[in-house]
Amino acid sequence: RDAWCYNYSEAALRWNIQAMIRFYESERQRLQERDVKGRRLTPREITIFVDNDRTKISWSRALNRDLAKNKGLDFGEGQIEYCQYRPFTRNYLYFSRRLNECVYQIPQIFPHQEAENRMICVVSRGATVGFSCLMVEQMPDYENISKGQCFPRWLYAKPKENNGGLFVEDGHLNTDFHGYVRESAIKEEALQIFAEKMGGGGNSITADVLFYYIYGVLHVPSYREKYAANLRKELPRIPFPKDAQEFYFLAEAGRKLGELHVNYEDVSEYPISFEDGGWEPKNGRSPEAWFKVEDRPMRHPGKGRQKDLSRIIYNGQITVQGIPEEAYDYMVNGKSAIAWVMEWQRVKTDKKSRIVNDANRFAIETMQDPAYPLRLLAKVITVSLETVKIVDTLREIEFS
């Protein structure tokens, strides 16, 4: 149900969900008015009964069951939130247990919009791409990292009265404004084990430092090469460092990588140059028309092996040139970070629902900058180059 529950425009998302709910409710009313002689229809009968017009609704087994039980749908059951839909691509999401088929453990990780967290997302079993990982601080889609398995820094829960458990500090519950308490997802036992392995040099290990150490390890080239077969079929196992110096070196590298990948919109733009067009609109064009991304994705000139990766055709009037070849070395989820921007900063119409998802609307409505897709491209070039530099410093590390 991606086309319905995700959109670059909050207003469009709200309209789409409300339209689907109205149609569901009309079908529920029609079912109630039908003479079923007091017998609940089977799932197959429900499937035959309902209007399957995909421009009006996206049915699923769960929604069919709700209809059979005469359960109403209400927009207030869900909430609209920012999410990380694909690498370096933000969308709005209508988050709802009823209309998202699988919410997994997200309610423990992002229980409300003000909940702060970071997650290390890794490619998991069933993925067809090679191993990669990405740190995020917003709710990720399952395919943000293919078949993503995500490990949070924090877990949230509403405490039970007098539970006397982990959430009680000196007899008082430390809750946030929404009544949730936060505990570290990295347990004290893990910190103790790492401290023991490093002897006296590990006495100051904190959960934050260990979190970033893990992210650093997952980027070590020799680790990915040596355990490539394992990483295709099971979750990563985290090795111990040879000493405290290596531990803190990897933790610092992981911290730098994490800040780059989480705060990619805040980095400085790579100083791109232009074969055509530029930062200033020409020929009396408005900024909205000048920087507008099209329904065709950004692309490289040429075909096949003759494609010129140093140039990107942004739209009909702007062509970027001078992109460093090494920027494409940063691969995440099966393709370069730059390729993700090129693919998703566009106008896309879903074939089944006919819903339009327009990246220009996010640029104008949310970022108040029609040039946002081009600026994002320049920023992700910077992120890619800086990531490659940091990873290069890890090439000497070998785990026994």
Side-chain angles (χ1 to χ4, degrees):
R1 200 172 283 125
D2 283 26
W4 291 91
C5 290
Y6 289 103
N7 206 283
Y8 282 113
S9 167
E10 181 179 2
L13 174 60
R14 189 178 300 275
W15 194 96
N16 293 337
I17 294 296
Q18 289 175 338
M20 185 166 70
I21 288 175
R22 285 195 299 269
F23 184 75
Y24 172 89
E25 287 298 310
S26 71
E27 288 295 273
R28 188 167 70 92
Q29 181 64 32
R30 189 167 69 89
L31 180 61
Q32 293 307 303
E33 292 171 355
R34 181 182 184 275
D35 180 15
V36 294
K37 298 180 180 180
R39 179 179 64 84
R40 180 180 291 178
L41 298 186
T42 66
R44 177 174 174 78
E45 289 172 327
I46 286 288
T47 302
I48 295 172
F49 171 81
V50 298
D51 185 341
N52 285 289
D53 186 341
R54 293 185 176 183
T55 66
K56 297 178 180 177
I57 197 168
S58 175
W59 291 107
S60 63
R61 284 180 295 178
L63 208 53
N64 282 341
R65 285 196 301 267
D66 286 349
L67 187 69
K69 296 176 183 178
N70 194 29
K71 291 179 66 174
L73 267 179
D74 185 85
F75 186 86
E77 293 180 90
Q79 58 190 22
I80 292 179
E81 299 190 15
Y82 273 134
C83 72
Q84 203 71 43
Y85 183 62
R86 291 293 182 268
F88 310 105
T89 301
R90 284 195 296 158
N91 270 201
Y92 288 98
L93 163 68
Y94 179 72
F95 184 67
S96 162
R97 285 187 178 274
R98 300 284 302 282
L99 293 182
N100 306 151
E101 287 301 292
C102 301
V103 300
Y104 302 104
Q105 302 300 318
I106 288 295
Q108 293 187 66
I109 300 168
F110 294 104
H112 52 78
Q113 291 174 319
E114 289 77 35
E116 294 183 356
N117 217 331
R118 288 193 174 186
M119 303 171 70
I120 298 173
C121 304
V122 302
V123 167
S124 190
R125 287 175 293 183
T128 57
V129 298
F131 177 80
S132 64
C133 60
L134 188 65
M135 188 177 292
V136 300
E137 66 176 359
Q138 292 167 336
M139 195 183 302
D141 179 75
Y142 184 55
E143 291 294 336
N144 176 55
I145 290 289
S146 187
K147 307 297 181 287
Q149 189 95 22
C150 302
F151 298 90
R153 173 65 186 86
W154 302 99
L155 291 172
Y156 290 82
K158 284 196 172 181
K160 298 177 182 179
E161 290 186 9
N162 301 319
N163 68 352
L166 291 175
F167 298 124
V168 177
E169 296 180 2
D170 300 325
H172 299 284
L173 294 176
N174 185 19
T175 61
D176 64 18
F177 181 77
H178 298 270
Y180 286 87
V181 289
R182 187 176 79 168
E183 69 164 343
S184 175
I186 296 176
K187 301 300 182 184
E188 284 295 325
E189 292 87 341
L191 299 179
Q192 292 171 7
I193 291 171
F194 269 82
E196 290 169 3
K197 288 288 183 180
M198 290 186 291
N203 292 334
S204 61
I205 292 178
T206 65
D208 280 338
V209 173
L210 182 53
F211 186 69
Y212 289 113
Y213 167 81
I214 292 168
Y215 200 52
V217 166
L218 296 179
H219 284 85
V220 173
S222 65
Y223 172 84
R224 292 191 179 191
E225 293 164 7
K226 183 175 183 177
Y227 301 110
N230 302 74
L231 293 170
R232 279 195 294 269
K233 58 190 178 183
E234 63 183 16
L235 291 173
R237 303 186 182 207
I238 305 304
F240 295 109
K242 64 181 180 182
D243 54 32
Q245 181 179 358
E246 183 174 87
F247 175 83
Y248 288 109
F249 176 74
L250 281 167
E252 179 61 16
R255 185 191 65 78
K256 290 178 179 177
L257 289 166
E259 294 300 327
L260 265 177
H261 300 160
V262 166
N263 300 311
Y264 62 91
E265 290 178 313
D266 298 329
V267 303
S268 59
E269 297 166 12
Y270 182 79
I272 55 177
S273 58
F274 299 91
E275 179 179 290
D276 296 306
W279 290 111
E280 293 296 326
K282 299 177 182 177
N283 303 322
R285 294 282 194 95
S286 67
E288 289 78 9
W290 183 254
F291 294 108
K292 183 178 182 180
V293 289
E294 303 164 342
D295 55 358
R296 185 178 182 182
M298 300 180 208
R299 59 201 181 276
H300 301 289
K303 294 182 179 180
R305 294 183 178 180
Q306 302 303 315
K307 283 185 178 180
D308 183 358
L309 299 184
S310 70
R311 295 185 293 159
I312 293 175
I313 301 173
Y314 173 83
N315 62 16
Q317 56 267 357
I318 299 175
T319 298
V320 177
Q321 65 181 3
I323 300 170
E325 183 179 348
E326 58 268 28
Y328 295 96
D329 290 342
Y330 175 42
M331 303 288 290
V332 58
N333 204 21
K335 62 185 73 172
S336 70
I338 294 172
W340 284 109
V341 177
M342 294 172 64
E343 178 181 351
W344 286 98
Q345 292 299 308
R346 60 178 290 200
V347 181
K348 188 174 184 180
T349 302
D350 181 63
K351 292 180 179 179
K352 296 177 181 178
S353 65
R354 308 308 300 167
I355 289 174
V356 176
N357 196 14
D358 186 350
N360 297 293
R361 295 192 66 173
F362 185 84
I364 295 168
E365 296 172 12
T366 299
M367 305 306 293
Q368 286 85 49
D369 182 6
Y372 171 77
L374 185 57
R375 296 191 191 283
L376 179 63
L377 177 63
K379 289 173 182 289
V380 170
I381 293 172
T382 296
V383 169
S384 299
L385 292 171
E386 292 301 313
T387 297
V388 169
K389 286 180 185 177
I390 296 170
V391 170
D392 280 344
T393 68
L394 308 179
R395 293 194 179 277
E396 300 296 321
I397 293 177
E398 295 279 351
F399 295 107
S400 62

